Amino acid sequence: MEAPFTHINEAWAHLLIDRLYQHGVRDICLAPGSRSAPLALAAARYRDDHPELRLHTHFDERGLAFLGLGLCKAKRRPVALITTSGTAVPNLHPALVEAFQTHQPLVAITADRPEELVGCGANQAIVQPGIFQHHVRAALNLPAPDAALTGGWLAQQLDRVLARLQGPGRGPVHINVPFREPLYGTEESVDFGPWLSDVVPVASSPPPLPGFSLHRLREPVIFVAGQLDTDEAAAVLALAERSSVPILADIGSQLRLTEHPCVLAHPDLLLAITHVRRRFKAMHQVIQFGGRITSKRINQWLAGFQGQYWLVSPHEDSLDPEHRATQIQASIPEFCGQIQIPPQRGLGIDALQSQLGEHLTLALTYPFSEPAAARIITETIPEDMLLLPGNSLSIRLLDMVARPGRGNRCITNRGASGIDGLVATAMGLAMGHPAGATLLIGDLSLLHDLNSLALAKQCFHPLIIVVLNNDGGGIFNLLPAAEQKSHFQTLFQLPHGLAFRNAAALFGLAYANPDSAAGFEKAYTDACRKGGVTLIELNFPPNQSSRIIKGLIGALVDVRYET
């Protein structure tokens, strides 16, 4: 078969893009650069013949990587990143850390100078092999393209690494690709058909999960749901429903926003009630599905739990910070399909849950506050729209006060829980999901990723960015840092005195700045009905949320059974 290319660089790059495609990549995120030109041009030419391949661009490699992460999470398939050499490469690191922690199949493809130009003062040349060694599942450092190395050899090397995008040990991989000039091809065409003649199609299947044995249960049983995919959450809920098992669900479990008799509403606040904790002492068995629990109170309860504690996850990574759980590596749907749990009796806390709801409604009625804004989002968000809680205060508010409803898919960046890249992640989620997404984010997080607002011109699905502007790090008002009186503002809160109206104008975003609950609900509803990106800025006093939350917790501690 004839395969005309002008240079070995072109043939090499084309085969790499083709291999990505055969391993399931349908989205490639590219940052501009000259050393990466063979890869970028190969991707563009490949797309001409494969229109289902989409190319996304961004000038900021850090934002580009988080854009890829968002696309990866929205579409639940591998996404590739392409950068030039030098400092462009380490800018991918934060997103790869997050992908590594949460087993997301990102492919970092970094162009490089050839070996003879590294360590000799050549421009834009750093040591790139191994740069992500602790945060990728596999890595490949290719030689510079050489026709003496056949296409079959190159395909085999790529397949070995790209196989780690699937299976229970899946996660990000790194392919470092040096190129010598010419980087943009030549004027003469050469038939590389013979060079490609030993390339065979990808014929691999993901490695199976190891077998597992079912241990003896100790009743009564309660479930804890951590970070789960939708199919995992559905299996956990079906098992709970069959046996009437109560569930303490994290905001990232795909169950926390579901109204269901087995899913305990507001579990973080529920565990603030002394009488609830006493009732939970009757539990002899916890089965936790997935890890990375947001609620400090749930984590504290698990740390002190005296019964039998299992943690079920498809991955071999440890997810128990207290090192107390018996970890079971298994497919969660398969585990839920095999285990038999006798019908459980109710917890008998209906009256306490009702009183919790009354206290919460009272706390969120006046004044308009950050917790009230989080509550309104969960009451108003359209069906099928994705929700991304920003880290720090935003996710804690949603985990604490979200009203259960239709079970909107809630995606989190809780692998490393960084505040970087949240805007770009949300852009990727919205681009990859026709119903769009809502991002609840803090002001420092938005400042951290302001460059990524430039991606709005590529986002045609609805994306509503709700920024809680409390002039700095509001989360620290809830932490021991608040006691560091003379150093609190300068070392922790970092007040900035900035507003985002002009940022919205700079990037051409729709903007609203309501100052009441009714005004916010209207602005949010209007934004959800239209395409594109809307920035809604909500301004609050720095310590308002902490006062409301502390007051609410104080009121809940002594809630008693009504007689």
Side-chain angles (χ1 to χ4, degrees), residues 129-164:
I131 195 169
F132 307 125
Q133 63 178 328
H134 296 297
H135 298 114
V136 291
R137 301 289 168 177
L140 172 63
N141 183 42
L142 287 170
D146 185 343
L149 299 169
T150 68
W153 176 87
L154 176 58
Q156 187 179 54
Q157 301 303 307
L158 294 169
D159 289 346
R160 178 177 58 81
V161 172
L162 296 174
R164 296 303 302 273

Side-chain angles (χ1 to χ4, degrees), residues 345-534:
R345 288 200 280 175
L347 290 167
I349 58 172
D350 291 352
L352 295 174
Q353 288 181 286
S354 177
Q355 290 183 71
L356 187 160
E358 292 171 5
H359 279 281
L360 183 57
T361 298
L362 183 64
L364 301 186
T365 299
Y366 184 82
F368 180 46
S369 63
E370 289 158 299
R375 177 81 161 194
I376 288 169
I377 289 173
T378 59
E379 293 173 334
T380 315
I381 187 169
E383 190 172 3
D384 294 331
M385 180 174 274
L386 302 179
L387 177 61
L388 173 62
N391 286 318
S392 199
L393 181 62
S394 299
I395 193 167
R396 287 170 172 82
L397 292 177
L398 282 168
D399 190 58
M400 186 180 295
V401 308
R403 184 190 292 276
R406 292 171 295 197
N408 290 70
R409 191 173 163 212
C410 185
I411 296 175
T412 68
N413 277 3
R414 293 301 283 177
S417 300
I419 67 167
D420 45 355
L422 291 165
V423 174
T425 303
M427 291 284 183
L429 291 176
M431 290 180 195
H433 187 69
T438 291
L439 168 64
L440 181 65
I441 190 172
D443 46 0
L444 293 185
S445 299
L446 180 54
L447 288 170
H448 214 280
D449 199 22
L450 206 61
N451 279 353
S452 293
L453 293 178
L455 291 165
K457 63 181 180 294
Q458 302 177 44
C459 184
F460 303 106
H461 301 152
L463 172 60
I464 301 88
I465 301 173
V466 180
V467 55
L468 305 175
N469 189 347
N470 52 33
D471 196 23
I475 185 64
F476 291 107
N477 287 291
L478 291 168
L479 300 176
E483 304 302 319
Q484 308 302 311
K485 303 296 185 182
S486 60
H487 300 296
F488 178 65
Q489 282 197 344
T490 56
L491 296 183
F492 299 100
Q493 185 185 16
L494 302 185
H496 49 75
L498 301 172
F500 294 97
R501 181 184 299 272
N502 289 341
L506 174 65
F507 292 103
L509 312 183
Y511 175 83
N513 185 209
D515 60 1
S516 67
F520 172 53
E521 184 172 345
K522 182 180 186 307
Y524 179 68
T525 302
D526 290 346
C528 289
R529 288 174 179 157
K530 60 186 179 183
V533 182
T534 300

Side-chain angles (χ1 to χ4, degrees), residues 19 22-23 155 159 163 200-206:
R19 230 54 190 173
Q22 291 199 47
H23 281 271
D159 289 346
V200 298
V202 173
S204 62
S205 57

Side-chain angles (χ1 to χ4, degrees), residues 10-19 151 154-155 158 195-196 199:
E10 284 187 6
W12 195 272
H14 168 84
L15 181 55
L16 192 155
I17 299 298
D18 179 68
R19 230 54 190 173
L154 176 58
L158 294 169
W195 183 77
L196 293 165
V199 175

Side-chain angles (χ1 to χ4, degrees), residues 36-364:
S36 55
L39 295 166
L41 293 170
R45 290 163 182 156
Y46 198 90
R47 180 190 55 181
D48 291 343
D49 296 323
H50 301 81
E52 60 272 37
L53 180 67
R54 296 197 59 195
L55 305 185
H56 312 268
T57 58
H58 190 27
F59 53 77
D60 176 356
E61 287 86 3
R62 187 185 70 176
L64 181 88
F66 277 103
L67 170 68
L69 181 65
L71 287 164
C72 189
K73 290 185 173 186
K75 298 186 176 185
R76 286 177 273 195
R77 66 189 186 201
V79 172
L81 316 169
I82 294 178
T83 74
T84 191
S85 62
T87 58
V89 176
N91 274 307
L92 304 180
H93 209 155
L96 291 175
V97 168
E98 180 64 30
F100 180 84
Q101 298 285 84
T102 54
H103 294 270
Q104 297 300 318
L106 276 183
V107 188
I109 304 166
T110 56
D112 199 357
R113 261 56 177 170
E115 186 178 10
E116 65 269 17
L117 292 183
V118 177
C120 61
N123 186 45
Q124 214 168 324
I126 66 172
V127 177
Q128 294 178 194
I131 195 169
F132 307 125
Q133 63 178 328
H134 296 297
H135 298 114
V136 291
R137 301 289 168 177
L140 172 63
N141 183 42
L142 287 170
D146 185 343
L149 299 169
T150 68
W153 176 87
L154 176 58
Q156 187 179 54
Q157 301 303 307
L158 294 169
D159 289 346
R160 178 177 58 81
V161 172
L162 296 174
R164 296 303 302 273
L165 300 175
Q166 306 291 336
R170 71 178 183 270
V173 301
H174 177 209
I175 302 172
N176 194 59
V177 194
F179 288 105
R180 295 187 177 93
E181 296 188 9
L183 302 175
Y184 298 88
T186 65
E187 294 182 358
E188 290 189 19
S189 183
V190 178
D191 179 17
F192 278 84
W195 183 77
L196 293 165
S197 63
D198 61 344
V199 175
V200 298
V202 173
S204 62
S205 57
L209 278 162
F212 62 92
S213 57
L214 294 175
H215 303 255
R216 185 186 178 94
L217 278 168
R218 294 181 59 198
E219 297 181 66
V221 179
I222 189 169
F223 290 169
V224 173
Q227 305 289 303
L228 300 176
D229 289 336
T230 50
D231 61 329
E232 295 172 335
V236 171
L237 186 59
L239 174 60
E241 192 171 43
R242 287 196 301 272
S243 304
S244 300
V245 179
I247 305 173
L248 296 170
D250 184 84
I251 190 66
S253 68
Q254 317 313 319
L255 294 173
R256 173 66 180 84
L257 299 181
T258 299
E259 189 171 15
H260 189 280
C262 290
V263 180
L264 299 176
H266 312 105
D268 176 77
L269 296 177
L270 200 60
L271 282 168
I273 301 174
T274 302
H275 278 272
V276 169
R277 295 197 303 275
R278 288 175 182 167
R279 293 306 298 261
F280 278 15
K281 286 183 178 179
M283 297 293 107
H284 293 158
Q285 171 87 58
V286 168
I287 305 178
Q288 179 179 332
F289 298 93
R292 307 189 189 284
I293 305 296
T294 303
S295 165
K296 184 176 181 180
R297 270 173 283 275
I298 292 179
N299 281 315
Q300 289 173 335
W301 177 72
L302 287 171
F305 182 68
Q306 296 302 305
Q308 186 165 257
Y309 177 16
W310 301 347
L311 198 160
V312 185
S313 168
H315 310 297
E316 62 182 2
D317 310 25
S318 176
L319 293 171
D320 174 26
E322 298 294 328
H323 308 284
R324 296 186 58 251
T326 298
Q327 188 142 332
I328 301 170
Q329 186 181 8
S331 158
I332 289 174
E334 185 178 334
F335 179 91
C336 292
Q338 292 190 24
I339 193 169
Q340 299 295 320
I341 300 177
Q344 304 293 294
R345 288 200 280 175
L347 290 167
I349 58 172
D350 291 352
L352 295 174
Q353 288 181 286
S354 177
Q355 290 183 71
L356 187 160
E358 292 171 5
H359 279 281
L360 183 57
T361 298
L362 183 64
L364 301 186

